[in-house]
Amino acid sequence: MKTYKNILRLCAVIICLASLNSCLSILEKPSSSDVTLDTIFSNRDYAESALYNIYYQLVPRGFPYTNGNYPENKSLQSQTQFSRSLLASITDECCNYRGATPGRYVNVAGFDAITASRNQEDSWAHRWPGIRAAWTFIKNIDKVPDEEIPDAEKTQMIAEAKALIALAYMDMLPRYAAMPIVDHPLGEGDATLLVQRSTLKETIDFILKLCEEAIPDLPDTYPSNMRGRVTKGVPLCIKSRTLLYAASPLFNSSASDMILDYDHPEFVCLEGYDKERWLKAAEAANDVLVWASTAGVSLITAADIAGGETDPKHNAYGYATSEKDNKEVILANKGYSSSNNGFGDGIFWTFSLRGMSVMLNIIKYFRKADASDQTWPTTLNEHRPFSEYTTKMNEMEPRFLQCVWPAGQAAPNFTKTGDYTKWPFGKIDDQMSASDMHGVGPMVKFCYNYSGELMKDWIVFRLAEFYLNYAEATAEYYGSADAKTPTGLYTAAQAVDVIRTRGGIRVLNAAEKADFHTQIVRERAVELFAEGHRWWDCKRWKIADDTFGGTLYTLRFVQNVAGSTATSYTEYYLAEHAEPRVWTKAMYFYPFPQEEVDKGYLVQNPGY
Amino acid sequence: MKNLINIYRILAVFFLGMAAIPLPAQEEGDKLTEEVPVRFDIQNRLSMTASVVTITAEELENVYDNDIADALAGRLPGLTVMQTSGGSTESSPTLYVRGRSSFNTASPLVFVDGLQSSLSGLMLSDIESISVLKDAAALSLYGQDGADGIIYVKTKRGVEGKPKVSVSVRHGWQQFTEKPEFVDAYTYATMYNEALSNDNGAWTQFYTDAQLDAYRSGDASTVAHYDLLYPNVNWYEKVLNKFAPETSAEASVSGGNKNIRYYVMGAFQDVRGLYKCVEKERDTNSNLDDQRFNFRINLDARISDIFDLKTNLSGQIRNQYRPNVGTSTLWKELLTTPANAFPVETEEGYGGNAYYTNPVADVLAQGWFNTHSRVVESSFTLGQNLDFILKGLRLEESIALYSLHQQKYRKARTYQQFEPYLDPTDAIAYNAYGTQTTDFTITNTGTSYNDMTNRLQEEVTARYGRKFGDQSIAASVSFHNDSYTITGLNQPLVTRGFAGRVGYGFDDRFFAEFDWSWYGKSAYAPSKNMGFFPAASLAYIIANNGADANVNFLKVRLSSGLSGMADLSTATNYYMYQQYWHSSAVGAQFGWAGTSGKSGLFEYYQANPDASWETLFRSNAGIDARLFKNRLSLNADVFYDRRTGILVNANVPDYFGLLSDKNVGDGVVSNCGLDGAMSWSDRIGDFRYTLSGTFSFAHSHIVNMNEAPTLFAYQRQTGRSVGVSKRYVADGFYTSADEISALPSMLGEVTVGDVKYKDLNSDGRIDSDDATFDGDFFSTVPEISYGLRINLAWKGFDFEMGGYGFARRQIDMYNNATQAFSNGLYNVSAYAVANRWAYWPEKGIDTRDSATFPRLTLGSNTNNTVNSTLWFQDGSLFRINNITLGYTFDKRISSRLGAASLRLYLAVINPFVFDSVYGDAEYMASYPLMKTYKCGLNLNF
């Protein structure tokens, strides 16, 4: 009996100790197959995927994302974060009238630092994940074994990543001026995460340095299935645009010329005018033109298009701004691998809810086909016969009809038929209310040969821009339209003439050469219409108070329907004020979000 | 052998356990000395220092709810029960213990006999008692599982004696508590015309006068094809029965001798739905049906002086059927299909059109969906009384398993619906929509994410208790390991740690206790996943007099300490401390369109290596009292909470370049309140009565949530109560175009009759800056919940009536049951018809002065539907949720049947509700709560 008891006791102890045994193992996550940094930089597929992610995040896209929905990682590649709007809709180029779209928000409320919904033209946060990914890529790509990716290719990939970082900074430069310089993946090994704004000069130098480092390692071209990647031309373009901004009056000035009083002039100007900046800008633009001539990049002419010579509408310009991968485009955002890339929604054909229409203010920059100026109605609300409108429209230069769709006519550049033949589809009547579409006509740029596709490339760099960059900088430096830089391919005037000739109007005459800056302003407004330049051009020339702060004008079309038959109506058009817009001097720069300022590293821009 | 004893002694010193404290004599079954289950122990109520409220089987005698959680409403102070939808088939109620002290987590965990489980697997006959653990002294033992409160259920066990058989059967008829009114075809058509006119700014008729006349007074003799072209269908009546049956039966046997005791129970419950389905055969019947079979075997065995054994085995097989259309979809259809949309049936088949599906056909013609689930819970506990080593020492080792398996099975077909119209020759023709399939397709939908869960728990406990003269010592320590696996989440969640208590008693008057746990969860970084949760508590019995005194008993309790709550669902990443990389679904595009879309790998949300749990610091003071010759009993607690470590977004600069996740524990909420219960019992001759009530109040205050700065103080959520939403302040309706141009709305296009809001920042327009947190705003979770109950008994009769109420609560009244023509589609609700803004003087319509609903419109009208004070209305209510009348037959009669007792009863569940909103303030626009009439009998042998 005693033995039995002892056995029981022994059992008790064993049970007890055995169960305590499990306490001693450490509590942790079981092993798993998670993807880590080391996995990514172990083979070609993963490493390429990491590189493509940088493209996805950093190449600007001016067409909006459908409905403003964000992709999974919330970092929009769109330059403008408007849902259903374009940057042009907050300039004097276009309006986007119906509904409380974010584009309209900027127009009615301006920017402020606190209400995020008002600042939807740009999100301060959205490029940084791409910049981080690029630095992480540059830091780790060497870990990939050579048999997976050879050294030469790694070097090229690093150059691509650097150019993309420069592109992101170039994109932020006119918005925010001086920025914090992030030059490595932050975190590991950093004593502090606090990166304050560098000066404007340092920011510009940082962009230029990245470009210089990238240029030697990049190819001139890619196979056709890799169009959209960074060529040698891209950092050259970044340099040209950055240096043009640096040379222009907004930045190239002393503290006393600032738009608003500000304690930190080093953040918003280069603290003194330096004429040499124009020369650098001219040379950088010339570098693009020189590179283009050797790399197979050139302006589209009528001869490049099958049947183009006979097209009365002279569609070389429409082709160059609409066709994917044409030889004039140096870099384009080629959309997402998804049909929701926003093109169809941003330029919405039925205009029942949204869409772009062109303002009367901007079409004054366009000329008639004979290069003389058109006369537009100046008396508000004066009823004028509709036929006069049609006549005036048909007198305009060819590029005009690649940008504007005259009311009551077939779309000038569509191959798609059906409902797309006439705007606004017989709905002109006196019941059009204040919320209906206004404008000279709908915008149809980017729609050459439009046949209903949902995907369009957004042009980031197009060769034509650099002719104009060159012309402007050269003329500013030498004070003459006939000057050229030591290595220049053209004189300033010749460069403009190249663009005018391609556009289908005659070259500059002597009087126009003498008033060259005015011609530059006009030519940029026309050639680069709606491509996202005017918002910055007017600011760098410091004329935004007039162009954006002035009154906007539009036309309105009225069709009095007698009875229900469409045959007996009288129609007329009239000029009137467009919706009032908010413009303040503070809007020369964008505010940093207040919550970022509160984190203690940023000094807010003036006026916010 | 000696060494062994020494090992035991060492262990014994390490593990201190609780002694059974001798107590002053009290009446049998008295609540003052009841046994209260606490974690790995049973404590006597008298010596308890913690705040735990308990309800016993006896008090649940008149509970006949199909879901036990429903029955707890208003019965336990500190516990708020919100019934969400009718019928146990659809959903269980939402429970809160002491309100919400976190903006992320809230629901208390349920433990059944020490095993984490749920209430829905239990039947009434299972339950010995249900306790709510409220303060730190009770919750600290649960580590990271305790801070939201614990509901602890103890199941019945056998007692020594002859076998006792208990049988209970009942049958019931369910009915709506409140059914929304249905708008008829004529009213719909007139309202449609009004909405169209409102949009056009001039009176415009979509429905002509002739059509309106036909809807109002037409019939088949005056209008050709009247039934097809002028349908007037009340969809509720077509789809829903007035009553639905339910049945349940439970039987148990218990008994035992000194070596073995048993409790064996079997139960069946069948609850049907309200849908009209004539077929009795399950093959084609698609009505709601919830069948449950439960069983339980609880055994206690004494093996030797040292060893004893306790096992529980229980299970449930549940078969739930519903029509092959989701219940929420069907209810949306019922509420939003206009009366004149189409006839129920045409000669071709079911009616229908391009915009609506036919609710009748959705129930009858689509087959059914079956969810079959099986739950097995079992536990096995081996105990050793080690008095031979150290008097009062006991060890227990338990292993417990919970397993749920669910299968989903669908028998589906599709139907065609037909829209009648007049062709050019004035004959009836049909547009057909959909496709008709005659045969059912049978699909086993397989298992999804949480269809299979397993929980394995192991626990080792040592207890020691001893009394030395006036003083007593009680202590226990336990090791707990819990491994929880969900299919689809292949990483089990492991919870592991130690917990213990040390109690000291003096003179049966003064008690002090220290409770602690050192617990961890595998979801956190290995070096930081263990937390220590201590709590200290005191109790002092001021008075403990005989039954004849006016102050029979008075005790005060004080406690303070920590408990935790692991919030593993708020952050995007389950393992918050690990950096993840993801592949984007959409990515960069190269080359000509479509040739080369590339996905991208990107660093996912920023990991937080320090991610941790919520910590609740709760202080509690309470009293328990018996007064006036034991007639008045009272307990009340006040508490103050401060919860830290609530997950919020990180606060790193944007240029850091990683998106921040909600994984940083910077959130802080304070919460305070009081809860208590009171009851008065007395007898007058043969007549006995009890009046009782409970009261719970909790008010929370967000101290920090890393909120971004706001331009205006009224937009700050910090400082408001948890769950309160930002609202626009409605200020009547726009009455003129001038008013609109003076105060335009950026929220949508507005016209007269649309909601006007207060321009809080005076900037001359209504936009997002005008939404505010500042006002008498409450969330849908009530700050006050209470219960009232009356029990009467006279000779063989017994009567109970009880109810619960909510106050300081607001609900959003804009939903499918109150909407009108969303985007031009949908029905118009009776609520909208009765309250709309309308002004058409030439038609004699002017409701401007009385309107509480904006003008009708066929557009989307985002201005009107934003969260505003127009829609958030007082959600206070009082619901009588139980009336029972029973009669127990005289022993002489029942013994003639061979029974020890026989009781018959009639009961009504949820008979009345008192509230101030349209419809039922507790559920909106979904399967309604059920009012159920029941009759049944209890038989004991």
Side-chain angles (χ1 to χ4, degrees), chain B residues 560-583:
Chain B
S560 201
L562 300 180
S563 54
M565 178 48 62
D567 175 7
L568 301 175
S569 56
T570 296
T572 312
N573 289 333
Y574 187 80
Y575 292 98
M576 289 169 254
Y577 69 94
Q578 282 197 330
Q579 184 63 52
Y580 284 77
W581 286 66
H582 273 215
S583 179

Side-chain angles (χ1 to χ4, degrees), chain B residues 49-50 135-138 140 502 511-516 533-539 557-562 617-620:
Chain B
T49 54
D135 72 344
S140 69
V502 184
F511 303 95
E513 194 173 295
F514 178 73
D515 300 275
W516 59 274
F533 303 94
S537 50
L538 296 173
R557 291 175 276 106
L558 285 174
S559 73
S560 201
L562 300 180
F617 176 72
R618 177 172 281 171
S619 302
N620 189 88

Side-chain angles (χ1 to χ4, degrees), chain A residues 334-345:
Chain A
K334 306 188 66 64
Y336 312 109
S337 49
S338 151
S339 60
N340 279 346
N341 76 359
F343 173 75
D345 214 31

Side-chain angles (χ1 to χ4, degrees), chain A residues 269-338:
Chain A
C269 75
L270 293 167
E271 298 184 277
Y273 176 75
D274 179 359
K275 193 181 173 192
E276 295 304 313
R277 293 192 183 113
W278 283 114
L279 182 60
K280 282 188 192 157
E283 284 170 339
N286 188 56
D287 288 347
V288 176
L289 302 180
V290 171
W291 168 80
S293 66
T294 61
V297 174
S298 63
L299 293 185
I300 297 289
T301 62
D304 293 317
I305 308 161
E309 299 91 331
T310 58
D311 189 326
K313 285 177 181 153
H314 194 87
N315 53 25
Y317 173 77
Y319 187 97
T321 52
S322 306
E323 289 297 311
K324 292 172 196 288
D325 293 337
N326 73 69
K327 63 180 181 174
E328 188 172 327
V329 172
I330 300 167
L331 182 68
N333 182 313
K334 306 188 66 64
Y336 312 109
S337 49
S338 151

Side-chain angles (χ1 to χ4, degrees), chain A residues 4-6 8-13 15-17 19-20 22-23 25-32 34-37 40-41 46 49-50 52-53 55-57 65 71-75 77 98-100 104-105 108-109 112 114-115 117-118 124-125 128-130 132 136 180 182 186-187 193-196 224-229 323-325 334-338 435 455 593-596 598-599 601, chain B residues 1 4-5 7-8 11 15 303-307 382 384 386 388 395 397 458 460 479 481 490-492 494-496 498 519-522 524-526 529-530 575 577-605 650-659 708-712 745-749 761 763 765-769:
Chain A
Y4 171 66
K5 261 195 175 163
N6 280 339
L8 276 182
R9 285 172 182 176
L10 189 63
C11 287
V13 173
I15 290 166
C16 178
L17 291 177
S19 48
L20 279 172
S22 58
C23 322
S25 62
I26 297 165
L27 188 59
E28 63 183 3
K29 180 188 173 186
S31 65
S32 68
D34 300 333
V35 174
T36 65
L37 194 72
I40 287 162
F41 294 101
Y46 279 158
S49 237
Y52 298 150
N53 174 51
Y55 276 92
Y56 170 60
Q57 305 217 28
Y65 195 83
E72 185 180 10
N73 52 350
K74 286 190 183 169
S75 50
Q77 60 173 346
R98 286 202 76 170
R104 186 184 174 207
Y105 231 124
V108 298
D112 81 46
I114 291 171
T115 313
S117 62
R118 288 192 187 158
W124 166 246
W128 297 109
R132 179 187 178 83
T136 305
V182 174
L186 291 168
L193 291 180
L194 199 72
V195 183
Q196 291 176 337
S224 64
N225 69 344
M226 279 290 143
R227 289 296 302 261
R229 282 177 74 167
E323 289 297 311
K324 292 172 196 288
D325 293 337
K334 306 188 66 64
Y336 312 109
S337 49
S338 151
S435 60
M455 281 270 234
Q594 188 61 37
E595 62 181 294
E596 287 297 300
D598 290 347
K599 287 170 187 169
Y601 68 97
Chain B
M1 196 60 224
L4 263 183
I5 290 172
I7 289 170
Y8 263 120
L11 285 170
F15 294 118
I303 299 168
S304 72
D305 286 347
I306 296 174
F307 286 96
L382 188 65
Q384 299 106 54
L386 300 176
F388 66 92
L395 278 186
E397 299 87 30
E458 297 137 41
V460 185
F479 166 76
N481 187 65
N490 53 13
Q491 311 273 1
V494 180
T495 308
R496 186 183 294 161
F498 295 90
Y519 250 63
K521 287 201 185 262
S522 60
Y524 302 113
N529 60 11
M530 299 292 283
Y575 292 98
Y577 69 94
Q578 282 197 330
Q579 184 63 52
Y580 284 77
W581 286 66
H582 273 215
S583 179
S584 56
V586 292
Q589 181 95 8
F590 298 114
W592 190 254
T595 50
S596 206
K598 305 288 185 190
S599 67
L601 276 169
F602 62 95
E603 259 180 302
Y604 206 45
Y605 289 98
N651 208 353
V652 295
D654 282 343
Y655 63 69
F656 187 74
L658 274 183
L659 297 164
T710 56
L711 197 52
F712 305 100
S745 168
M746 298 287 122
L747 308 174
E749 286 181 52
N761 60 347
D763 64 351
R765 62 173 173 265
I766 301 300
D767 58 17
S768 59
D769 286 344

Side-chain angles (χ1 to χ4, degrees), chain B residues 9 12-13 15-16 386-393 464 466:
Chain B
R9 288 202 166 127
V13 173
F15 294 118
L16 297 172
L386 300 176
D387 288 336
F388 66 92
I389 296 166
L390 182 67
K391 194 163 180 335
L393 180 65
Y464 170 77
R466 197 85 180 262

